[in-house]
Amino acid sequence: MHLSKRKKSENRILSLFGTGLIFGIFLIVIWRLKESSPNIFYILIAIGLLSTYNIYSIFTKKIRDREAMKKIPFPEEWRKILEKYVAFYRALNKEEKERFETEIQIFLHETRITGIKTEVDDVTMVLAAASAEIPVFGIPEWEYEHLGEILIYPGPFSKDFRMEGPDRTITGMVGTGIMQGVMILSKPALIGGFENTNDKGNVGIHEFVHLLDSADGSYDGIPEFFIDKAYLAPWLEVMYKESERIKNGDSKMNPYGATNKIEFFAVAAEYFFEHPDALKKEKPELYELLTKIFRQDTKHRFGSAVKNMINYTGNKVSRNAPCPCGSGKKYKNCCMANSRIY
């Protein structure tokens, strides 16, 4: 979401090309009127030029909105929340803090955050956005292209999103099916992940790292999209070695990391961002590989530029879908009213 000169330039060039192509096709269609009905032809030309300008404005809206966000002062209350809860933010220098704040504003402007039977307050909003931006702060060109909404639950939930009954052990999930492209987070777990600085865990960061894992097309714990091929074999080796250490009780990492490769990557990332000094001291190989993974992104620029051009802001729960709270009502007539977008 970084507002780089390259991203703005790509958006404008692609928008000019797109609108020029549209006007060119329109001109070909009406050209036969030039001789038979010149007055109508020139009226249509004027209408076409006006429409082309409007289309160009639509194509550049997302980038212009992001530029406008830079001029909006960061709310002081949000800054206090970051200072209180987010150690990653406190460690940044002044210039980095300003960039992090801008990224928070953009994320909250483009991502719908909805409370399911719970309030979405400023702490919840800011920490959800911080969870998203921490893993990609060193990858300024990255876009969570398909994520359009975060559902905030009042507590743990089941695999089928139930908030009552047995098997409510999940505190974070990237949705599938009708929830495709939607993230679900438990409010107490989200806040607790930032409040408790000793557990090396953070459910918000964990779930956003899952999204990074899937950038290459699959959830497999192997972040091929972000790491050079030369480091894939070392990553697999370290992953296997550290997973075995967890299973044998010889590691301070969260035991959940030994569940599978997918969870190992997310758990290792939590440790990396929550306690980098400890990780570097205890597991230098793992630490070095993670520093190479969470780096600047240089891939898939074109797809990102197109989505910026059409103002795509990710998938959301359909307005007419059944509400996730289980009320039986349509989403638009129930919890969607609790949505917040900055």
Side-chain angles (χ1 to χ4, degrees):
M1 295 183 185
H2 183 56
L3 297 168
S4 66
K5 291 181 179 179
R6 183 181 65 199
K7 179 171 284 189
K8 288 182 283 186
S9 177
E10 287 173 351
N11 174 259
R12 288 168 181 152
I13 291 171
L14 193 56
S15 297
L16 282 170
F17 177 79
T19 51
L21 182 62
I22 291 170
F23 182 75
I25 294 171
F26 173 73
L27 190 60
I28 291 171
V29 171
I30 67 169
W31 190 259
R32 60 186 178 82
L33 297 175
K34 185 178 181 181
E35 298 298 331
S36 59
S37 304
N39 290 338
I40 295 177
F41 173 78
Y42 288 113
I43 290 172
L44 289 175
I45 286 290
I47 294 173
L49 288 171
L50 180 61
S51 299
T52 300
Y53 175 77
N54 289 333
I55 292 171
Y56 177 80
S57 296
I58 293 171
F59 283 172
T60 57
K61 182 180 185 300
K62 190 171 182 177
I63 294 297
R64 287 187 288 107
D65 283 351
R66 289 184 177 188
E67 279 291 288
M69 296 303 297
K70 291 177 64 175
K71 300 176 183 178
I72 298 176
F74 192 75
E76 187 57 36
E77 284 302 309
W78 291 11
R79 186 173 289 115
K80 290 178 181 178
I81 292 169
L82 291 174
E83 289 285 357
K84 178 180 178 180
Y85 289 95
V86 185
F88 179 90
Y89 173 82
R90 293 195 297 269
L92 300 176
N93 61 36
K94 183 176 183 296
E95 181 179 313
E96 290 170 333
K97 283 183 176 180
E98 290 176 355
R99 180 162 74 85
F100 191 81
E101 291 170 357
T102 298
E103 298 289 357
I104 292 284
Q105 287 177 292
I106 292 172
F107 182 86
L108 292 176
H109 178 68
E110 297 179 358
T111 309
R112 195 164 72 193
I113 301 183
T114 305
I116 304 298
K117 291 189 175 180
T118 191
E119 177 191 4
V120 177
D121 55 13
D122 282 352
V123 172
T124 306
M125 284 182 60
V126 172
L127 294 186
S131 300
E133 296 308 321
I134 287 171
V136 298
F137 192 66
I139 315 171
E141 296 297 323
W142 175 254
E143 300 274 349
Y144 290 108
E145 293 179 342
H146 301 296
L147 179 72
E149 183 165 17
I150 299 174
L151 303 182
I152 303 296
Y153 276 39
F157 50 93
S158 65
K159 290 182 179 179
D160 55 357
F161 318 121
R162 287 184 294 103
M163 293 176 282
E164 299 176 353
D167 303 321
R168 292 180 297 111
T169 59
I170 300 174
T171 56
M173 177 188 290
V174 178
T176 58
I178 63 169
M179 295 288 195
Q180 184 72 38
V182 176
M183 183 177 289
I184 308 165
L185 295 172
S186 160
K187 182 176 178 179
L190 170 65
I191 297 173
F194 285 97
E195 281 183 324
N196 187 349
T197 58
N198 297 317
D199 64 354
K200 306 181 185 71
N202 185 300
V203 69
I205 292 174
H206 185 106
E207 295 305 320
F208 278 100
V209 169
H210 279 324
L211 290 182
L212 299 186
D213 181 17
S214 70
D216 57 13
S218 63
Y219 292 97
D220 56 10
I222 305 172
E224 294 183 59
F225 191 89
F226 301 97
I227 192 169
D228 291 337
K229 290 183 179 180
Y231 297 111
L232 287 177
W235 171 252
L236 289 170
E237 183 180 343
V238 167
M239 184 187 296
Y240 174 78
K241 182 173 67 176
E242 293 298 338
S243 294
E244 289 300 305
R245 290 184 64 189
I246 294 173
K247 292 174 184 177
N248 294 332
D250 298 329
S251 175
K252 295 181 181 180
M253 286 181 66
N254 184 340
Y256 190 56
T259 304
N260 52 46
K261 294 177 182 177
I262 301 170
E263 299 304 339
F264 178 86
F265 178 37
V267 166
E270 291 178 80
Y271 202 166
F272 178 74
F273 289 112
E274 291 282 284
H275 292 276
D277 292 337
L279 180 62
K280 185 175 183 178
K281 181 179 179 180
E282 296 166 13
K283 306 177 188 296
E285 288 180 278
L286 176 59
Y287 178 85
E288 287 302 319
L289 285 168
L290 288 170
T291 62
K292 297 182 186 304
I293 290 170
F294 296 107
R295 60 184 176 81
Q296 183 174 352
D297 169 39
T298 58
K299 302 177 182 178
H300 289 194
R301 289 185 201 162
F302 182 76
S304 176
V306 170
K307 289 181 179 180
N308 283 330
M309 189 178 78
I310 62 175
N311 201 25
Y312 176 73
T313 55
N315 299 333
K316 300 175 178 64
V317 179
S318 171
R319 292 168 51 85
N320 293 312
C323 188
C325 75
S327 66
K329 298 179 182 179
K330 291 183 178 180
Y331 186 49
K332 65 182 179 183
N333 297 325
C334 195
C335 288
M336 187 177 169
N338 296 324
S339 297
R340 290 189 64 178
I341 297 182
Y342 177 60

